[in-house]
Amino acid sequence: PIISVGWEGTGSLLHRHERTWLYLASGSKEWLLLPPVVADGEALKQLTNDDACAFVRHQQPRSISGAMHCAQSAGDVVVLPQDWWHATCNDRPGLSIAWGAQGDSTAWTPVHFQARSGEVPRGFD
């Protein structure tokens, strides 16, 4: 399971891993997505001195072929294929809270499948 909690101006630096989904319960996130074929993903991390929001908004990675920039609002689910580079920025005042999972979905609980489909489990609304 994945739990993501952060204030405005915080986020996750560029990284990649197994396929993933993330349900945003509150707040707003900006995402920068880069395809797995980006050979210099590690070098791109050095552009913004460990500032995730500066990286998400930086023009150089956004100009890479296949790069995508998107906004996730409360209630949205983002699904990423395996090995896609991604960085996030919590971009609204207040607390952003999200949960999800990564990897093989055969071990997911019913709550994981509900959240992935956008159904908020009872007690979280």
Side-chain angles (χ1 to χ4, degrees):
I2 298 169
I3 301 292
S4 173
V5 178
W7 294 106
E8 178 184 19
T10 63
S12 296
L13 294 170
L14 188 67
H15 64 286
R16 63 183 177 174
H17 43 69
E18 297 176 279
R19 66 182 175 157
T20 304
W21 65 267
L22 190 72
Y23 169 79
L24 188 62
S26 68
S28 176
K29 285 184 183 287
E30 284 183 70
W31 290 74
L32 177 66
L33 310 172
L34 300 170
V37 296
V38 174
D40 58 353
E42 292 296 329
L44 286 172
K45 291 181 186 181
Q46 305 309 312
L47 290 174
T48 55
N49 289 333
D50 297 329
D51 181 336
C53 290
F55 183 84
V56 168
R57 297 172 179 147
H58 199 286
Q59 290 306 308
Q60 184 175 344
R62 290 173 73 170
S63 67
I64 293 172
S65 178
M68 291 183 273
H69 183 261
C70 65
Q72 182 181 20
S73 299
D76 291 344
V77 177
V78 170
V79 179
L80 297 175
Q82 182 166 327
D83 289 331
W84 270 69
W85 292 96
H86 54 284
T88 64
C89 173
N90 299 310
D91 63 352
R92 293 233 177 108
L95 197 59
S96 289
I97 302 172
W99 61 83
Q102 69 184 40
D104 183 6
S105 63
T106 57
W108 291 359
T109 67
V111 170
H112 286 108
F113 285 104
Q114 284 179 306
R116 184 183 70 172
S117 67
E119 297 175 33
V120 179
R122 177 169 260 152
F124 290 100
D125 50 5

